[in-house]
Amino acid sequence: MTGKNNNNIVTSPYQLPYLSDNVRTVPDGTAAIQCDGQTRPCYFDKLLISASVVQMEGLSYIANCNDIVVDPDNPVYCSKDGVVYTRDMKTLVAFPQGKLLRKGKQFVYTFRVPAGTEHIGDTAFAYNRSLKEVVLPDGVKSIGASAFAHCLDLYNVNIPESVTFIGKHCFWASTRINRLYFPAGVAPLYTSNLSNGIAIEIDDGVTELEIDTIPPGLSVRESMSLDKFIAKPLLLCRDNPVIESFSHSAGYRCVSDYTTDQDGVIWSGKELLCFPSSWHSDRYQIPAQTKRVYAFAFCATMLDFIYSYHDIPFHPMCGFLFYTMPGTRKSGKKKAYQLKPG
C-alpha cells in the first residue's frame, strides 16, 4: 500500500486518499484509526488498511463500503471476506456498513459470525444498512458498546447463553428489533439496553443492573424524537425482583406469566403480546381465542395484513405502530393494516 500519513491517526474517511476509483486506503505509517461517531456520509467500495495500523476504534463509522482488506503483514488485525477481525480470529472488529452478502447470484441478508469468535467489538456492526439478521455462535463471551446501534434493517440478533457482558447502547435506535433475550450470566445489565426492542426476555439469573443514559452525542431533539416513536419495552421475566422493581420505577410493563407458541408468538393468557418480526408469510390471522392485543405487539413486523374475524379490543396505538417505524428511512412505504370484524 502506498502513501504516508503524517498525523499517524485517522479520524475521518475524508483523510483517506483514493488509491483508485472507489478504493480508499489507510496510508502506510498510520498507527491508529480512532472515530467516535458517524461522520458525514462518504461512500466508496473498498477500504485497504496498511500493516502499520495497530489500533482500531470505531472503524465501522468510517467504513461506509462493501469490503475492508487488511494487509497480510499486519501484526494485530486480519480480514476475511471483507470483514475485520483480530489476527487470532477471536474478536470481530468491524463489519462494513454497506457490505452486500451473496450466495451465488442471490443476495442474502443473514450474517453468521464464524465459530470460534469470542468477542464482538465496540461498534462492530454500527450503522449497517444491509443486514436483517446476525447469528452469533455459542462461545461468544462479550458484545461491545453500540455493537448493533443504528442498524435500521436489522430485525434479529440471538444472544447465546455464553455471553457474560453486553456493552452500553448495544442496540440503540435499531428500531426493527422487536425481541431480545439476556441470559443469566450478563452482568451488569445496562438499562440503556432495555430501552429498545418490544419484548425483552431476561433470565432470572440476571440480578445486577446499572443505570445509564442515552448515548453521548445524541441531541436532546433526537432523544425526544426517538422517545416519541420507539415503543417502551415489555420486560419478560419469571421471578426476578430486581427487574420487576426497575420496570415499576421506569414505567415499563413487566410480565411473568408468558408463553411462546410454536410460531414464536408471545402470549400472556389470551393476550397477544409480541409477534415475531420475521414471519413466513405477509399476513397473519389473529386466533379466535384472542381477547386482547398489546399496543406494540405488531411493531416493526414484516407483515402486510393482519386479519381478525372477531371483535378484539385493540389499543388505539396498535394500528399506528404497525406501520413502518419512523427512523427506518422507509416511512414512505406504509404497511397496510386491515381488520374484518366478524
Side-chain angles (χ1 to χ4, degrees), residues 128-171:
N128 180 271
R129 60 182 188 275
S130 61
L131 292 177
K132 293 183 178 180
E133 182 177 34
V134 175
V135 179
L136 303 180
D138 291 336
V140 171
K141 299 176 181 178
S142 68
I143 303 174
S146 301
F148 295 98
H150 296 272
C151 296
L152 299 182
D153 283 327
L154 186 66
Y155 64 75
N156 186 49
V157 180
N158 68 303
I159 302 179
E161 293 287 347
S162 55
V163 172
T164 58
F165 178 80
I166 300 175
K168 297 179 179 181
H169 318 123
C170 189
F171 307 97

Side-chain angles (χ1 to χ4, degrees), residues 127-304:
Y127 286 92
N128 180 271
R129 60 182 188 275
S130 61
L131 292 177
K132 293 183 178 180
E133 182 177 34
V134 175
V135 179
L136 303 180
D138 291 336
V140 171
K141 299 176 181 178
S142 68
I143 303 174
S146 301
F148 295 98
H150 296 272
C151 296
L152 299 182
D153 283 327
L154 186 66
Y155 64 75
N156 186 49
V157 180
N158 68 303
I159 302 179
E161 293 287 347
S162 55
V163 172
T164 58
F165 178 80
I166 300 175
K168 297 179 179 181
H169 318 123
C170 189
F171 307 97
W172 187 263
S174 294
T175 53
R176 282 186 176 271
I177 298 176
N178 78 339
R179 188 176 304 185
L180 290 168
Y181 167 71
F182 294 107
V186 175
L189 176 55
Y190 292 106
T191 56
S192 64
N193 290 329
L194 301 179
S195 64
N196 210 77
I198 305 307
I200 299 178
E201 185 174 4
I202 304 170
D203 192 281
D204 290 343
V206 176
T207 59
E208 184 181 348
L209 285 181
E210 183 166 326
I211 308 296
D212 62 323
T213 57
I214 64 173
L218 188 66
S219 70
V220 173
R221 181 176 181 182
E222 287 176 311
S223 75
M224 290 175 64
S225 176
L226 287 170
D227 184 64
K228 179 179 178 181
F229 290 113
I230 295 179
K232 289 185 177 181
L234 177 70
L235 304 185
L236 306 174
C237 60
R238 301 295 183 188
D239 182 19
N240 193 321
V242 173
I243 300 301
E244 290 173 0
S245 175
F246 167 75
S247 64
H248 179 73
S249 63
Y252 296 171
R253 183 179 174 187
C254 188
V255 176
S256 59
D257 61 335
Y258 63 92
T259 58
T260 304
D261 67 20
Q262 62 183 6
D263 293 320
V265 182
I266 298 178
W267 299 84
S268 175
K270 295 183 179 181
E271 180 183 8
L272 196 162
L273 294 178
C274 182
F275 192 85
S277 54
S278 56
W279 183 248
H280 54 76
S281 174
D282 64 351
R283 58 198 63 209
Y284 178 71
Q285 181 178 331
I286 297 174
Q289 69 270 20
T290 307
K291 297 298 184 183
R292 187 174 185 272
V293 176
Y294 181 55
F296 308 114
F298 292 96
C299 188
T301 63
M302 301 296 181
L303 294 171
D304 289 325

